[in-house]
Amino acid sequence: MSDTPVKQQSTAAFYGQAVASFSIALAATAVGIYQLDTSAWVRGFLAIAVLYLVTSAFTLAKVIRDRQEAGQIVSRVDQARLEKLLAEHDPFEKL
C-alpha cells in the first residue's frame, strides 16, 4: 500500500490574489518612502533596503521550496526500495 501525496495546485484566484497583494504592498511602501519628509539620501537608502528585502524573501522562499521538494524525492525513493524488498521477501523460505 502506497500513500502517494496529492500534488496541490493553487487556483488562478489564489495566484491573482497573491500577485495583487504583493503589488499593493510594494506600491504602498514606494509611495510612503516617496512622501517622507526627509532628504533624498534617506529615501534612496530606504528604497534600496526594501528592494533588498524583497529579493531576499524570494530567495528564501525558493530555498525552502527546493529543500522540501528534495526531501519528498528522497522519501519516495526510500519508500520504493522498501516496497521492493517486501515484495521480494518470502517469509516461508528456509534459511
Side-chain angles (χ1 to χ4, degrees), residues 13-69:
F14 180 73
Y15 179 77
Q17 184 269 335
V19 170
S21 176
F22 174 75
S23 300
I24 291 170
L26 193 60
T29 303
V31 168
I33 290 172
Y34 179 75
Q35 294 293 329
L36 278 176
D37 189 25
T38 187
S39 69
W41 284 103
V42 174
R43 287 195 305 263
F45 173 78
L46 291 175
I48 294 296
V50 167
L51 290 176
Y52 181 62
L53 180 64
V54 168
T55 58
S56 296
F58 277 116
T59 302
L60 178 62
K62 183 187 177 310
V63 167
I64 290 171
R65 184 201 61 204
D66 290 349
R67 180 175 282 181
Q68 181 183 13
E69 287 178 353

